[in-house]
Amino acid sequence: MKLDVALPQHQYTLFIERGALKQVGEWAKTLWKPQKIAIITDDTVKSLYGEQVVENLSKAGFDVSVFSITPGEASKSFDSAIEAYTFLAEQGLTRSDGVLALGGGVVGDLAGFVASTYLRGIHFLQVPTTLLAQVDSSIGGKTAVNTPVAKNMVGTFAQPDGVLIDADVLQTLEPRRVREGIAEIVKSAAIADIDLWKKLTSLENEEELLEQVDELILASCNVKRKVVEEDELDNGNRLILNFGHTIGHAIEATAGYGVVTHGEGVAIGMVQMNRIAEEKGLTPKGTTEELKEMLVKFHLPISHTPWNEEELYEALTHDKKARGNQIKTIILEEIGKARIHTIDTEEMHDYLQV
Ligand code: NAD
């Protein structure tokens, strides 16, 4: 399956197919002439798939090297970026060479950032290996590193030359990580795709979802594609992708990173936000129940304890989406359709009531 992303400055295609990792060399050859490729990955992904990808790219005529980081968010840093620049320079990569990101969102964000800034920008490819990265971070062109001040504080908008998605790699991913991606698929359906919602509703359980995950990845990426094509630089409607994220980030941050994962935070955030919007008459009655049923079916949490309203409010108003006295929230007009709803920051207290 293929999905074209057409942006004013750049067009590229997502190639979604089980077993596609075994054809990574052939795929890269359709996009690039034989040249140097530096794979940026992490130690876990390298040990699982590194050899196979290196071999495959080499066979296709590329001159391949590998730069690997310690897995985890802490590696999405300037220190890692500087190590990566040094590596690329040592390998002699020029502007006609390229980077291939092989890993989850951490690797994708870091590799995209490094590629888009090294020598003022060289070409890169995304080969996402977590479901979250396959449905979210590898599409849309946001790259980033964290700083001690804030997560994702420094980054670029830079689009890859292509994205290769092989759902077979999810077999080695921890179930809790897989569910993070499922939360984003549920979000995509809720904000912009009623057909995807109906499809998810028709699925019995997680097992059935995973059997059909290619199709769901495609539909979810298509939601993001449409939004990104309309608002690449995130000045307007792209914000609807953040449904559940503002409260979700606050939960993640206050629980201590890792206690509640990003996807779990988003799941809880969507339910909380929607319940209050429903009480305020902004969202049709019954949608929260539908959301809850969907998330529970896929083993995602719908609430969190301890719930410290003040702490959450503090974390949330420090969030980058808080601008002055107002905050932009995302509301479901109905399942399958979201809109931005701007409120006074103080009103956020209402949305944190349990
Ligand atoms: P991650 O990259 O840290 O991967 C999670 C873990 O899974 C890591 O330990 C990794 O080694 C392991 N892993 C990856 N693929 C595997 C596989 N196939 N089998 C076994 N283990 C595997 O985390 P993530 O959840 O993929 O991404 C989170 C990051 O994505 C965050 O930094 C977030 O800010 C970023 N993000 C970016 C965007 C964007 O638009 N750029 C969007 C959403 C999230």
Side-chain angles (χ1 to χ4, degrees), residues 63-134:
D63 176 2
V64 191
S65 57
V66 181
F67 176 79
S68 184
I69 55 171
T70 305
E73 192 66 37
S75 291
K76 212 174 97 176
S77 65
F78 264 117
D79 286 350
S80 304
I82 289 166
E83 282 172 30
Y85 296 137
T86 310
F87 177 84
L88 300 184
E90 281 169 1
Q91 296 299 319
L93 263 82
T94 66
R95 286 179 55 96
S96 48
D97 298 313
V99 163
L100 183 142
L102 176 70
V106 163
V107 161
D109 278 12
L110 174 74
F113 178 72
V114 166
S116 65
T117 47
Y118 176 72
L119 303 179
R120 299 195 177 87
I122 65 171
H123 292 267
F124 68 104
L125 302 171
Q126 289 277 7
V127 181
T129 63
T130 64
L131 187 56
L132 182 89
Q134 294 180 338

Side-chain angles (χ1 to χ4, degrees), residues 42 44-45 48-49 71-73 76 104-107 109 129-130 132-133 136-137 142 151-152 169 172-173 177 180 224:
D42 73 27
T44 304
V45 178
L48 289 164
Y49 304 107
E73 192 66 37
K76 212 174 97 176
V106 163
V107 161
D109 278 12
T129 63
T130 64
L132 182 89
D136 193 354
S137 57
K142 281 188 180 176
K151 194 167 140 54
N152 294 330
V169 301
T172 53
L173 193 64
R177 295 267 173 215
E180 287 202 77
K224 190 156 182 186

Side-chain angles (χ1 to χ4, degrees), residues 5-48:
V5 182
L7 296 163
Q9 311 292 331
H10 195 64
Q11 296 205 356
Y12 60 98
T13 302
L14 274 67
F15 178 51
I16 306 168
E17 198 169 297
R18 281 178 195 260
L21 205 62
K22 296 192 183 84
Q23 309 163 35
V24 64
E26 286 307 309
W27 169 74
K29 238 165 81 172
T30 63
L31 299 164
W32 290 347
K33 61 176 178 33
Q35 59 189 38
K36 286 185 181 162
I37 292 187
I39 297 173
I40 299 188
T41 187
D42 73 27
D43 296 345
T44 304
V45 178
K46 183 183 166 194
S47 68
L48 289 164

Side-chain angles (χ1 to χ4, degrees), residues 26 50 67 172 184 194 216 224 228 260 264 316 346 350:
E26 286 307 309
F67 176 79
T172 53
E184 293 291 347
I194 186 64
L216 304 172
K224 190 156 182 186
V228 170
V260 174
E264 289 164 355
L316 196 149
E346 277 291 307
D350 295 357

Side-chain angles (χ1 to χ4, degrees), residues 296-313:
V296 167
K297 180 165 76 177
F298 298 125
H299 310 290
L300 282 154
I302 51 172
S303 61
H304 176 68
T305 47
W307 187 268
N308 186 330
E309 194 192 311
E310 266 320 303
E311 239 178 62
L312 289 169
Y313 184 80

